Amino acid sequence: MKIVDIDKLFDKYIEKYVYENIGKIKPEEIENQIPKLYEEFGNKEIKELDDKTPNTYYKSFTGKELLDCLKSHVEQNVSVSDFLCEAMIAKEDIDKDIYELLLKENSEEYVLYLMNILNDIGSKIAIKRYLEFIIWDYSEPIRELATELLCGFAEDVKEEILSQFKDTDENKKVNLTEILSHTKKDDRVYNILIEEFVKNSDNIPLYAGYLASYGDERALPFLEATIEGDKINYADFEELRFAIEALGGEYKGKRDFTNDSTYKKIKGAKPGRVLYEPYY
């Protein structure tokens, strides 16, 4: 299979359209036309694609051939077009081929593409592999994407996370905590979320957000005690207040953040001059 930069061909298609319509159409109108032009381009026969259209070129290849093509694009630093991705998504059982690749592939960019394709398919065949990406020593981009995807399958990996949480490296527990915050009510999960919130006082906004996402009102006393702390900053305060309100509570205390650097940036306040009411 030829490796063709279809996105570059589309750029030329746009250039031709612009040239042919000089003085006839405004620049902002051209931008609005791009989705329509892309659709038209997808049905144009192109010599670089053996006189096939971008929509049909990849359809004659097997799933494995398409995955090999994707890898070649990545290795040769050639843009990966939507047409190639859509052809892979449409291939029946390609998720099994992708799973096999995820067990052995080391290319970060290629792995990220494979994970996103599985997500677009809606397959959860590799969710245990994603958990390994988080717990083992994989790159941060892979770990972060695995976390994002597993938040959508949190119940499927909950028991595995609970069994491994205690022995997981501290710097990776944050990923597991985020996933657990998307599970259904479970005292074991609640206890972990509270423990991590209390333990990570240097990152209050993140862990307060996890409690808000989880939605268990039993966390309110912990959030309310923290928001009263003298050492919290304006960013901490806002996230804590949001979490309290998300769980059905209300904070009625008064706090002065006119000297807080974040507050001044957001509200435009200067020392000795209050532009917005700083008391809550």
Side-chain angles (χ1 to χ4, degrees), residues 10-28:
F10 178 62
D11 289 341
K12 292 181 179 179
Y13 186 78
I14 291 290
E15 289 173 6
K16 182 175 181 292
Y17 175 82
V18 171
Y19 179 78
E20 291 174 347
N21 288 275
I22 292 176
K24 301 178 184 178
I25 189 169
K26 297 178 181 179
E28 59 269 22

Side-chain angles (χ1 to χ4, degrees), residues 2 7 18 25 39 50 71 76 117-118 123 151 181 187 195 204 217 226 235 260 265 268 276:
K2 294 191 298 185
D7 287 345
V18 171
I25 189 169
E39 185 177 350
D50 300 330
K71 186 171 186 179
Q76 297 175 33
I117 293 167
L118 279 183
S123 172
C151 283
S181 73
D187 283 347
E195 181 181 347
I204 288 173
E217 65 275 6
T226 304
D260 183 274
K265 287 180 181 178
Y276 297 87

Side-chain angles (χ1 to χ4, degrees), residues 36-49:
K36 179 182 178 182
L37 292 171
Y38 195 73
E39 185 177 350
E40 291 177 357
F41 171 75
N43 294 314
K44 293 285 184 181
E45 294 180 352
I46 299 173
K47 66 177 182 178
E48 289 89 345
L49 299 178

Side-chain angles (χ1 to χ4, degrees), residues 50-83:
D50 300 330
D51 293 323
K52 294 181 180 179
T53 71
N55 278 326
T56 60
Y57 177 68
Y58 295 110
K59 291 183 178 179
S60 61
F61 299 103
T62 66
K64 289 184 178 180
E65 288 173 330
L66 293 174
L67 291 168
D68 287 340
C69 179
L70 172 63
K71 186 171 186 179
S72 295
H73 274 261
V74 171
E75 291 175 342
Q76 297 175 33
N77 198 30
V78 176
S79 176
V80 178
S81 75
D82 289 346
F83 299 104

Side-chain angles (χ1 to χ4, degrees), residues 58-185:
Y58 295 110
K59 291 183 178 179
S60 61
F61 299 103
T62 66
K64 289 184 178 180
E65 288 173 330
L66 293 174
L67 291 168
D68 287 340
C69 179
L70 172 63
K71 186 171 186 179
S72 295
H73 274 261
V74 171
E75 291 175 342
Q76 297 175 33
N77 198 30
V78 176
S79 176
V80 178
S81 75
D82 289 346
F83 299 104
L84 173 55
C85 293
E86 288 166 4
M88 288 185 285
I89 292 169
K91 286 295 178 183
E92 188 175 353
D93 294 332
I94 197 172
D95 57 336
K96 296 175 183 177
D97 295 324
I98 292 175
Y99 176 68
E100 292 299 321
L101 290 171
L102 289 176
L103 294 176
K104 58 186 179 182
E105 183 58 49
N106 293 316
S107 166
E108 177 185 287
E109 186 178 0
Y110 189 41
V111 167
L112 292 173
Y113 268 113
L114 295 175
M115 293 169 70
N116 276 311
I117 293 167
L118 279 183
N119 183 54
D120 289 339
I121 292 172
S123 172
K124 56 183 182 180
I125 190 173
I127 57 175
K128 289 189 177 180
R129 183 59 172 156
Y130 295 167
L131 198 53
E132 292 172 350
F133 286 160
I134 295 171
I135 296 174
W136 297 356
D137 291 324
Y138 282 84
S139 69
E140 184 174 350
I142 290 177
R143 192 163 65 245
E144 290 300 320
L145 180 57
T147 301
E148 177 186 335
L149 298 181
L150 285 180
C151 283
F153 299 108
E155 281 297 316
D156 296 286
V157 293
K158 181 179 76 173
E159 293 301 330
E160 186 68 22
I161 290 176
L162 290 173
S163 69
Q164 298 196 46
F165 193 89
K166 183 179 178 181
D167 298 323
T168 299
D169 292 345
E170 288 298 322
N171 67 327
K172 295 168 184 172
K173 283 184 177 180
V174 61
N175 303 88
L176 301 184
T177 303
E178 180 176 355
I179 298 166
L180 288 175
S181 73
H182 288 79
T183 61
K184 297 176 182 178
K185 299 298 183 294

